[in-house]
Amino acid sequence: MSVESIHGIIGYTITPFDAEGRLDLPALGKSIERLIEGGVHAIAPLGSTGEGAYLSEEEWNTVAEFSLNQVDRRVPTIVSVSDLTSAGTQRRARFAEEHGADAVMMLPISYWKLSEEEIFEHYRVVGDSLSIPIMLYNNPGTSGIDMSVDLIMRIVSSVDNVTMVKESTGDIQRMHQLNLRSEGELPFYNGCNPLALEAFVAGAKGWCTAAPNLIPDLNCQLYSAVITGELDKAKGLFYRQLPLLDFILRGGLPSTIKAGLRLKGLEVGAPRPPLSELNEESCHRLERMLSDLL
Amino acid sequence: MSVESIHGIIGYTITPFDAEGRLDLPALGKSIERLIEGGVHAIAPLGSTGEGAYLSEEEWNTVAEFSLNQVDRRVPTIVSVSDLTSAGTQRRARFAEEHGADAVMMLPISYWKLSEEEIFEHYRVVGDSLSIPIMLYNNPGTSGIDMSVDLIMRIVSSVDNVTMVKESTGDIQRMHQLNLRSEGELPFYNGCNPLALEAFVAGAKGWCTAAPNLIPDLNCQLYSAVITGELDKAKGLFYRQLPLLDFILRGGLPSTIKAGLRLKGLEVGAPRPPLSELNEESCHRLERMLSDLL
Amino acid sequence: MSVESIHGIIGYTITPFDAEGRLDLPALGKSIERLIEGGVHAIAPLGSTGEGAYLSEEEWNTVAEFSLNQVDRRVPTIVSVSDLTSAGTQRRARFAEEHGADAVMMLPISYWKLSEEEIFEHYRVVGDSLSIPIMLYNNPGTSGIDMSVDLIMRIVSSVDNVTMVKESTGDIQRMHQLNLRSEGELPFYNGCNPLALEAFVAGAKGWCTAAPNLIPDLNCQLYSAVITGELDKAKGLFYRQLPLLDFILRGGLPSTIKAGLRLKGLEVGAPRPPLSELNEESCHRLERMLSDLL
Amino acid sequence: MSVESIHGIIGYTITPFDAEGRLDLPALGKSIERLIEGGVHAIAPLGSTGEGAYLSEEEWNTVAEFSLNQVDRRVPTIVSVSDLTSAGTQRRARFAEEHGADAVMMLPISYWKLSEEEIFEHYRVVGDSLSIPIMLYNNPGTSGIDMSVDLIMRIVSSVDNVTMVKESTGDIQRMHQLNLRSEGELPFYNGCNPLALEAFVAGAKGWCTAAPNLIPDLNCQLYSAVITGELDKAKGLFYRQLPLLDFILRGGLPSTIKAGLRLKGLEVGAPRPPLSELNEESCHRLERMLSDLL
């Protein structure tokens, strides 16, 4: 499966826990089946939504291997492999490659802010140890590091297998610059839900989102409408789903998506503390939103 | 001429000075003719580009009256009337109304930051003294005040003649919220040049821009392509003009637009110090950009 | 009177208006007398507190001339002369010099953000036209422009009569850097009320403040305690007046100082709209604070 | 050893690695001895400087136990126990208590931003499982979370063993507010090196710093001078060491402190990638700074 096929709606998985806080793999399997049945064009385990940062190494391995087996190459799988250390990131990336990932996603998470040189080296070291493509991921909101377009272009042009960029700042000018500087050759993906319509219009090849856990049809229809050039239809679809997209972003994706899956009949447990479950009032609001969208 | 007609490309005028720094009205007349010949759908004198903040009251009056006479209702004219004091803003707004403006634009410029209550009262006091519509203008980059969507909606619903909103934060989420909360009923306009494509796609009724002083055809064609639903064409037109849009924004609109008009054969003098003329290197860059776009 | 004498508590005047919003010069005279009787070491008319930005040119002239006459060289007078244009700033600065100002204060207020080169030229042009010293003033909160320490040092070393710096960012590291880079030779002044204690400890030569309109004794005692090296006493005095210092900063200096003067028996009217009078609840709070400090 | 004894200079340890990147415990032992010989009043292992965030759980345990044994209650030891999950933080905190820590330090590090309720619960859960005091630590620069003074006061008043606060925003107003709201009863500590002088003057009980690895005498003398009320001496000592304090902060504490220890004859290896060693030019600059301070 070639990297060219990574496009459209890229669905992020949650990581289900049971009442004791242990991995619930059967629920994970069901949530992946729902995404595929919902029509997503790719699956991304262990990302922000998947609480990858909150798992032990052993848990991380288990979820990565189980997810890859469950997807079983029906669609491309992009595994998020970010870790605070370069060695840890490299280990996860190799594990993902060995177990069949089509690509890995890599965010330079930080405790100490990294210099541009440190970020560059981080990508180089991991890139040199892999054969599959890397999707560079910029998300200062979670990582504490904002990579400039200059730095991203430098990494893309120097590290062979960094071939895709996921941009989650929510600032569409970043996508414009990636497009202009690469003369349209660098595939970029949108990771900011409320920017879905405009990012596609600006040329994003895909939308990385946890929303298909809840409203896969609306997500896929939006993508189709842009592809077929039906601008009014796309605009209508976007504004229809926007309140939900805003809600899941503001409420925290693990909390809101897990609450939404429960409302839709799949019990996936609570996020891992200090992340908390959605409170009752917000659950009611989410329930109303979801029923309005049916 | 009804306010419903304010849409499309709203061209901002510069304010020409002669070598001694005095108003050059003949050059102002020529620059307005160029905008109208270029096909703009409305004209906006004395805005940010027009150095309205740097004029004496007498100069301001002269430019307002001259501009309104020159346009002579061939297209709607929206006069920017912002002043630090409420009394000064009211005076300018009445002057504009008396001399035939179709609408006024009003930005709460500040020395001391204003509370929400102070901003509300500022709009109420000016609104109560006028019969023509007010376009509320949000631009924290120049005014030092960022009006929340909540505050804007409160003003719009309480002050009768605040009927349009110009948003220049560059954050498209503000436009989304204005659209959602007004259920599509509140006309909003984009004041951030590099957001031109996406703002139209998100439903902006117009694009407030100084760019038509230099590239009116490309601006108007972009608007037409979105209106007719030709998404690929719109995207192509947008990326073609984007480097110039970025350049004039970063270089400061009075400096870059005045330099560009000189390159295109109309001498309009320098901006008023401390604003400076575009330096030689940037002029050469602008010249190359403009010739690439012919 | 030499510039060396500018030190200690530099008291800012308000600009009183009558019920019709016109200048109330007798009240201005009384407020200046109170400051001098309160023991301030210098007087600064037409600053932020003095609503200098909200006056017409004619009003500005009147207040400047009246204030200089009233002080009559009993203490040094530093007139704030900031205007959006370089020509306007120059005119005010010359007027102040001709009418006997010991120094002028100059803040690069902005509508369009200024480049470093534009700011430098702005100071150079005004400096070249004056014989008295200029206190460079950095206050991004009101001016919209933050001058780096690099830029400030460049201006100080290039423009002869820029000989003092007033820093109002509230970031004490700026003062540290001014002190280190000038090897202790550049007099710097603190313009952030809640930083009064630490700025003096770090070497500030003076505290530019509107607080002496209300609590001149506490302000002057704090300065004395630092000068005499009574650290515990200084700390006690600082924490005692800090709630009031926080209150007047957050409430806006023109509104809170004018309300406080009324509570202390001097009617100076309301600030000029859109600035508003302090609301009733805040007035009561201010009254309690002031009586606690007697 | 009571918590009352936690005051003065609180020295942070680095975590030495050998050429293969494994823990170098003998070097750790030597670095701790240097701190104690240097006169620090307390020792803090596994903090930001100690690369606590970059260690495996097994390494973390080893360093915690070794450090506590090495200090052997000669001075109080405060172990940093922050982890992304509440369970992990609790585990580390209990481990530290069981191995003899006098207190633990706890920073709410984040991947997903935490709500105030989540932060509160995080402290409550960990606090309820411990008998020793917790120093609440606010450092948005590394943790991505900025706790308001309101939230801090709420945690301090509700969670019994949160009895101290370390503030590292660099904004001295936070310390003022902690002092005012607790009426001087809440011990607060400064974690921002270039704020050392002013924080002590404002009432900080201690300075949490890695600087004593390099210049323990200057750090301790500054503390003594403030305690004895010698303001001029304190100011002189502060400005003397400030360039070094600025340098180690900007260059990243693990990189700069490890380079400095090497220059002073103790080899402690490199920081763990992606953190990098100090480059050659910066090492030369550091060497000059250190020899200027001898």
Side-chain angles (χ1 to χ4, degrees):
Chain A
M1 188 168 285
S2 85
V3 65
E4 278 73 38
S5 55
I6 298 179
H7 71 277
I9 304 301
I10 298 159
Y12 278 66
T13 60
I14 44 81
T15 297
F17 299 116
D18 65 19
E20 280 73 42
R22 290 168 310 205
L23 294 178
D24 180 350
L25 297 178
L28 176 57
K30 285 179 198 157
S31 75
I32 291 173
E33 288 308 305
R34 280 170 172 255
L35 285 170
I36 293 179
E37 286 161 17
V40 301
H41 307 93
I43 297 266
L46 289 161
S48 303
T49 307
E51 299 175 66
Y54 300 84
L55 303 180
S56 71
E57 285 306 289
E58 197 184 344
E59 289 173 326
W60 192 92
N61 287 354
T62 302
V63 172
E65 188 171 0
F66 181 90
S67 301
L68 286 160
N69 288 340
Q70 184 77 34
V71 177
D72 197 24
R73 298 190 179 278
R74 286 177 285 176
V75 293
T77 302
I78 309 149
V79 179
S80 291
V81 298
S82 315
D83 183 75
L84 262 177
T85 66
S86 296
T89 308
Q90 203 178 44
R91 194 203 67 73
R92 290 183 174 185
R94 284 177 175 163
F95 185 95
E97 176 174 12
E98 286 161 14
H99 289 79
D102 295 277
V104 296
M105 188 170 309
M106 186 176 157
L107 175 75
I109 52 177
S110 70
Y111 181 84
W112 287 100
K113 298 283 169 273
L114 301 177
S115 69
E116 297 220 329
E117 207 48 42
E118 288 172 331
I119 296 168
F120 182 86
E121 272 301 294
H122 188 51
Y123 277 98
R124 198 194 54 72
V125 162
V126 176
D128 284 358
S129 68
L130 288 189
S131 306
I132 55 174
I134 294 174
M135 184 183 283
L136 176 150
Y137 178 20
N138 189 40
N139 189 357
T142 56
S143 72
I145 286 177
D146 191 1
M147 291 185 275
S148 69
V149 171
D150 278 347
L151 176 60
I152 292 174
M153 292 309 296
R154 186 182 154 217
I155 295 171
V156 166
S157 69
S158 303
V159 183
D160 281 353
N161 47 357
V162 175
T163 56
M164 303 172 276
V165 173
K166 175 182 171 191
E167 239 288 323
S168 293
T169 56
D171 175 9
I172 198 140
Q173 305 305 330
R174 307 290 183 101
M175 297 184 188
H176 292 163
Q177 293 309 314
L178 291 170
N179 197 38
L180 279 180
R181 296 211 201 170
S182 72
E183 299 182 353
E185 294 300 312
L186 174 64
F188 59 91
Y189 300 78
N190 171 41
C192 175
N193 283 314
L195 203 63
L197 171 63
E198 293 87 6
F200 276 135
V201 167
K205 201 172 167 190
W207 174 17
C208 299
T209 175
N213 285 287
L214 306 182
I215 48 166
D217 283 357
L218 284 168
N219 304 146
C220 292
Q221 287 167 24
L222 171 58
Y223 175 62
S224 295
V226 179
I227 289 297
T228 55
E230 297 166 279
L231 194 48
D232 274 351
K233 190 178 168 191
K235 186 179 150 194
L237 284 161
F238 173 67
Y239 275 112
R240 199 163 161 231
Q241 62 193 286
L242 179 58
L244 183 70
L245 299 178
D246 280 333
F247 180 87
I248 62 178
L249 183 65
R250 271 200 307 271
L253 291 172
S255 300
T256 52
I257 299 294
K258 284 187 163 180
L261 281 169
R262 179 180 290 161
L263 288 167
K264 292 176 74 78
L266 180 60
E267 178 58 54
V268 291
R272 192 159 268 184
L275 302 184
S276 68
E277 287 194 282
L278 206 61
N279 66 33
E280 204 175 345
E281 188 191 332
S282 294
C283 282
H284 285 311
R285 205 176 143 211
L286 176 56
E287 192 168 16
R288 282 193 303 274
M289 279 184 167
L290 288 172
S291 57
D292 286 352
L293 290 177
L294 288 186
Chain B
M1 188 167 284
S2 85
V3 64
E4 277 71 38
S5 55
I6 298 179
H7 71 276
I9 304 301
I10 298 159
Y12 278 65
T13 59
I14 43 81
T15 297
F17 299 116
D18 66 19
E20 281 72 41
R22 291 168 307 204
L23 294 178
D24 180 350
L25 296 178
L28 176 57
K30 285 179 198 156
S31 75
I32 290 173
E33 289 308 305
R34 281 168 172 256
L35 285 170
I36 292 177
E37 286 160 18
V40 301
H41 306 92
I43 296 265
L46 289 161
S48 304
T49 307
E51 300 175 66
Y54 302 84
L55 302 180
S56 70
E57 285 305 291
E58 196 184 343
E59 290 172 326
W60 191 93
N61 288 352
T62 303
V63 172
E65 188 171 359
F66 181 91
S67 300
L68 285 160
N69 288 339
Q70 183 78 35
V71 177
D72 196 22
R73 300 191 177 275
R74 287 176 285 175
V75 294
T77 302
I78 310 151
V79 179
S80 292
V81 298
S82 315
D83 182 76
L84 263 177
T85 65
S86 297
T89 308
Q90 204 177 43
R91 193 203 68 74
R92 290 184 174 185
R94 283 176 175 165
F95 185 96
E97 179 175 8
E98 286 161 13
H99 289 79
D102 295 277
V104 296
M105 188 170 311
M106 184 176 158
L107 175 75
I109 52 176
S110 70
Y111 181 86
W112 287 100
K113 297 283 170 275
L114 301 178
S115 69
E116 297 219 330
E117 208 49 42
E118 288 171 331
I119 297 169
F120 181 86
E121 271 301 295
H122 189 50
Y123 277 99
R124 196 192 56 72
V125 161
V126 177
D128 284 358
S129 67
L130 287 189
S131 305
I132 54 174
I134 295 175
M135 185 183 281
L136 175 151
Y137 178 19
N138 189 40
N139 188 357
T142 55
S143 73
I145 285 178
D146 191 1
M147 291 186 274
S148 68
V149 172
D150 279 346
L151 176 59
I152 292 174
M153 292 307 297
R154 187 182 153 216
I155 295 170
V156 166
S157 68
S158 304
V159 184
D160 280 354
N161 49 354
V162 176
T163 56
M164 304 172 275
V165 173
K166 175 181 171 191
E167 239 288 323
S168 292
T169 57
D171 175 9
I172 197 140
Q173 305 304 328
R174 307 291 183 101
M175 296 185 188
H176 291 162
Q177 294 309 314
L178 292 172
N179 198 36
L180 279 179
R181 296 210 199 170
S182 72
E183 299 183 352
E185 294 300 311
L186 175 64
F188 59 91
Y189 299 79
N190 170 42
C192 175
N193 283 315
L195 202 64
L197 172 62
E198 292 87 5
F200 276 135
V201 167
K205 200 170 168 192
W207 173 18
C208 298
T209 174
N213 286 288
L214 307 183
I215 50 167
D217 284 356
L218 283 167
N219 304 146
C220 292
Q221 287 167 24
L222 170 57
Y223 175 62
S224 295
V226 178
I227 290 295
T228 55
E230 295 167 281
L231 193 49
D232 273 353
K233 190 177 168 194
K235 186 179 150 193
L237 282 161
F238 173 68
Y239 276 112
R240 197 162 164 234
Q241 61 193 286
L242 179 57
L244 182 71
L245 299 178
D246 280 334
F247 180 88
I248 61 177
L249 183 65
R250 270 200 308 271
L253 291 173
S255 300
T256 53
I257 299 294
K258 285 188 163 179
L261 281 169
R262 180 181 291 160
L263 289 167
K264 292 176 76 77
L266 180 61
E267 179 58 53
V268 291
R272 193 158 267 186
L275 301 185
S276 67
E277 287 196 280
L278 206 62
N279 66 34
E280 203 174 348
E281 188 192 332
S282 295
C283 283
H284 285 312
R285 208 176 141 211
L286 177 56
E287 189 167 19
R288 281 193 304 275
M289 279 184 168
L290 288 172
S291 57
D292 286 352
L293 289 176
L294 289 187
Chain C
M1 188 167 284
S2 86
V3 65
E4 276 72 39
S5 55
I6 297 178
H7 71 277
I9 304 301
I10 298 158
Y12 278 64
T13 60
I14 43 82
T15 297
F17 298 116
D18 65 18
E20 280 72 42
R22 290 169 307 205
L23 293 179
D24 180 349
L25 296 178
L28 176 57
K30 287 179 198 158
S31 75
I32 290 173
E33 289 309 305
R34 281 168 171 255
L35 285 170
I36 292 177
E37 286 159 19
V40 301
H41 307 92
I43 297 265
L46 290 164
S48 303
T49 306
E51 300 175 64
Y54 302 85
L55 303 179
S56 71
E57 284 306 290
E58 196 184 344
E59 290 173 324
W60 192 93
N61 288 353
T62 303
V63 173
E65 188 170 0
F66 181 91
S67 301
L68 286 160
N69 288 340
Q70 183 78 34
V71 176
D72 197 23
R73 298 191 180 276
R74 287 176 285 176
V75 295
T77 302
I78 310 149
V79 179
S80 291
V81 299
S82 315
D83 182 76
L84 262 177
T85 66
S86 297
T89 308
Q90 205 178 42
R91 193 202 67 74
R92 291 182 173 187
R94 284 176 174 164
F95 184 96
E97 178 175 9
E98 286 161 13
H99 290 78
D102 296 277
V104 296
M105 188 169 311
M106 185 176 156
L107 174 75
I109 53 176
S110 70
Y111 181 86
W112 287 100
K113 298 281 169 277
L114 301 178
S115 70
E116 297 218 329
E117 208 49 41
E118 288 171 331
I119 296 168
F120 181 86
E121 272 301 295
H122 189 50
Y123 276 98
R124 197 192 57 70
V125 162
V126 177
D128 283 358
S129 67
L130 287 188
S131 306
I132 55 175
I134 294 175
M135 186 183 284
L136 175 151
Y137 178 19
N138 190 38
N139 188 358
T142 55
S143 72
I145 285 178
D146 191 2
M147 289 185 275
S148 69
V149 172
D150 278 347
L151 176 60
I152 292 173
M153 292 308 298
R154 187 183 153 216
I155 294 170
V156 167
S157 69
S158 304
V159 183
D160 280 353
N161 47 355
V162 176
T163 57
M164 304 170 276
V165 173
K166 173 182 173 193
E167 238 288 324
S168 292
T169 57
D171 176 9
I172 197 137
Q173 305 305 328
R174 306 291 183 99
M175 296 185 188
H176 291 162
Q177 293 310 313
L178 291 171
N179 197 36
L180 280 179
R181 296 208 200 172
S182 72
E183 298 182 353
E185 295 300 312
L186 174 64
F188 59 91
Y189 299 79
N190 171 40
C192 176
N193 282 314
L195 201 64
L197 172 61
E198 293 86 6
F200 276 134
V201 167
K205 200 172 169 190
W207 173 18
C208 300
T209 174
N213 286 288
L214 306 183
I215 49 167
D217 284 356
L218 284 168
N219 304 145
C220 291
Q221 287 167 24
L222 171 58
Y223 176 62
S224 294
V226 179
I227 289 297
T228 55
E230 296 167 281
L231 194 49
D232 273 352
K233 190 177 168 194
K235 187 180 150 192
L237 283 161
F238 173 67
Y239 275 113
R240 198 162 162 234
Q241 63 194 284
L242 179 57
L244 183 71
L245 299 178
D246 280 333
F247 180 87
I248 61 178
L249 183 65
R250 269 200 308 271
L253 292 172
S255 300
T256 54
I257 299 295
K258 285 188 162 179
L261 280 169
R262 178 181 293 163
L263 289 167
K264 291 175 75 76
L266 180 60
E267 178 59 52
V268 291
R272 192 158 268 186
L275 301 185
S276 67
E277 287 195 280
L278 206 60
N279 66 34
E280 204 176 345
E281 188 191 332
S282 295
C283 282
H284 286 311
R285 210 178 137 207
L286 176 56
E287 191 168 18
R288 283 193 304 275
M289 280 184 166
L290 287 172
S291 56
D292 287 352
L293 289 177
L294 288 188
Chain D
M1 185 167 285
S2 85
V3 65
E4 278 70 39
S5 54
I6 297 179
H7 71 277
I9 304 301
I10 297 159
Y12 279 65
T13 60
I14 43 81
T15 297
F17 299 115
D18 66 17
E20 279 73 41
R22 291 168 309 204
L23 294 178
D24 180 350
L25 296 179
L28 175 57
K30 285 178 198 159
S31 75
I32 290 173
E33 288 309 304
R34 281 169 171 256
L35 285 171
I36 292 177
E37 286 160 18
V40 301
H41 306 93
I43 297 265
L46 289 161
S48 303
T49 308
E51 298 175 65
Y54 301 85
L55 303 180
S56 71
E57 285 306 291
E58 196 184 344
E59 290 173 324
W60 192 92
N61 288 353
T62 302
V63 172
E65 188 171 1
F66 181 91
S67 301
L68 285 160
N69 289 340
Q70 183 77 34
V71 177
D72 197 23
R73 299 191 178 277
R74 287 176 285 176
V75 293
T77 303
I78 309 148
V79 179
S80 291
V81 299
S82 315
D83 183 75
L84 262 178
T85 66
S86 297
T89 308
Q90 203 178 44
R91 193 202 67 74
R92 289 182 174 186
R94 284 176 174 164
F95 185 95
E97 177 174 11
E98 285 161 13
H99 290 79
D102 294 277
V104 296
M105 188 171 308
M106 186 176 156
L107 174 76
I109 52 177
S110 71
Y111 181 85
W112 287 100
K113 298 284 170 271
L114 301 177
S115 69
E116 297 219 328
E117 208 49 41
E118 287 171 332
I119 296 169
F120 181 86
E121 271 302 294
H122 189 49
Y123 276 99
R124 197 192 56 71
V125 161
V126 176
D128 284 357
S129 67
L130 286 189
S131 306
I132 55 175
I134 294 174
M135 186 183 282
L136 175 149
Y137 178 19
N138 189 39
N139 189 356
T142 57
S143 72
I145 285 178
D146 192 1
M147 290 186 275
S148 68
V149 172
D150 278 346
L151 176 60
I152 292 174
M153 292 308 297
R154 187 182 152 216
I155 295 171
V156 167
S157 68
S158 303
V159 184
D160 280 353
N161 48 355
V162 176
T163 56
M164 303 172 276
V165 172
K166 174 182 172 191
E167 238 289 324
S168 293
T169 55
D171 175 9
I172 197 138
Q173 305 305 330
R174 307 290 183 102
M175 297 185 187
H176 291 163
Q177 293 309 314
L178 291 171
N179 197 37
L180 280 179
R181 296 210 201 171
S182 72
E183 298 181 355
E185 295 300 312
L186 175 65
F188 60 89
Y189 299 78
N190 171 41
C192 175
N193 282 315
L195 201 63
L197 172 62
E198 292 87 6
F200 276 135
V201 167
K205 201 171 167 192
W207 173 17
C208 298
T209 174
N213 286 287
L214 306 183
I215 50 167
D217 284 356
L218 284 168
N219 304 145
C220 292
Q221 287 167 23
L222 170 58
Y223 176 62
S224 295
V226 179
I227 290 297
T228 56
E230 296 167 279
L231 193 49
D232 273 353
K233 190 177 168 193
K235 186 178 150 192
L237 283 161
F238 173 68
Y239 275 113
R240 199 164 162 232
Q241 62 194 286
L242 180 57
L244 183 70
L245 299 178
D246 279 335
F247 180 88
I248 62 178
L249 183 65
R250 270 200 308 271
L253 292 172
S255 300
T256 54
I257 299 294
K258 286 187 162 180
L261 281 169
R262 180 180 291 161
L263 289 167
K264 291 177 76 76
L266 180 60
E267 177 59 51
V268 292
R272 192 158 268 185
L275 301 185
S276 68
E277 288 196 281
L278 207 61
N279 66 34
E280 204 174 345
E281 188 192 332
S282 295
C283 282
H284 286 311
R285 207 176 142 210
L286 176 57
E287 191 168 17
R288 283 193 303 274
M289 280 184 167
L290 287 171
S291 57
D292 286 352
L293 290 176
L294 288 187

